[in-house]
Amino acid sequence: LRGSLWSLKDNMILPLIKGLVLTLKRFLDPRTCVTIPYPEERPKLSARFRGLPELQIGKDGREKCVACGLCAKVCPSQCIYVEGAEDETHRRYPKIYELDAFRCIFCGFCEEACPVRAIILRDTFELATYQNKDIFDKEKLLDLTKKRNLPK
């Protein structure tokens, strides 16, 4: 009985103590600390990070989107709704462009399918809200691009 109890201590307690000591060393070592003060310092995101899609603005100051609807067709979560129209110069534009941010899985298919590169997934990841739905319409998506292009 005494031998089996000692064996139990060797097989369970000693490795447990070694693991706890290692965890404590890593926890107190400032080189291994990965916590950043988030609101004051933004995290370094990967170059391949895909955040909230933004509608792009062309050189003429209007949106680049021609309302072809390819982004809505290839979207696996069906979070994009596009309704097109034509202006007096017979240029197509999206009369209604809506993106449901809660349904979006940020896959990037919409960006790949767009023939005029009118939608790009950028580094916007702050999507917290107090509402149960968060639908971005055309104006909100264009505002994101306008805010990004403002001189700093």
Side-chain angles (χ1 to χ4, degrees):
L1 183 69
R2 185 172 282 199
S4 65
L5 188 59
W6 185 255
S7 169
L8 185 65
K9 286 181 183 178
D10 281 343
N11 290 336
M12 289 180 57
I13 295 177
L14 195 59
L16 176 67
I17 292 173
K18 285 181 181 178
L20 289 173
V21 167
L22 178 66
T23 301
L24 193 59
K25 280 183 188 176
R26 295 280 171 101
F27 182 72
L28 296 176
D29 188 5
R31 294 173 296 178
T32 59
C33 181
V34 294
T35 305
I36 60 168
Y38 165 63
E40 294 84 26
E41 180 183 333
R42 288 182 55 92
K44 293 175 183 73
L45 300 174
S46 167
R48 298 183 300 171
F49 180 80
R50 294 187 302 247
L52 186 68
E54 295 179 6
L55 283 177
Q56 299 301 301
I57 300 171
K59 292 182 175 132
D60 59 354
R62 299 189 302 190
E63 67 265 6
K64 280 185 173 181
C65 183
V66 292
C68 63
L70 287 176
C71 55
K73 294 273 190 223
V74 300
C75 182
S77 61
Q78 298 295 309
C79 66
I80 299 174
Y81 174 73
V82 181
E83 186 178 313
E86 285 188 10
D87 62 6
E88 59 277 350
T89 62
H90 301 291
R91 179 187 177 275
R92 287 188 51 83
Y93 69 96
K95 186 168 91 174
I96 299 174
Y97 193 103
E98 293 178 343
L99 180 122
D100 189 351
F102 276 138
R103 292 185 69 184
C104 184
I105 59 174
F106 308 106
C107 62
F109 288 171
C110 56
E111 182 178 11
E112 293 175 18
C114 185
V116 293
R117 297 214 15 103
I119 188 164
I120 295 177
L121 276 70
R122 293 290 179 105
D123 60 350
T124 305
F125 61 90
E126 294 105 346
L127 300 174
T129 181
Y130 290 109
Q131 300 164 352
N132 284 342
K133 62 178 186 165
D134 202 4
I135 296 185
F136 286 84
D137 59 354
K138 182 174 79 166
E139 285 75 28
K140 284 183 185 177
L141 292 170
L142 288 170
D143 282 345
L144 292 170
T145 305
K146 289 175 186 172
K147 287 177 186 174
R148 183 180 299 277
N149 294 333
L150 286 177
K152 295 177 181 175

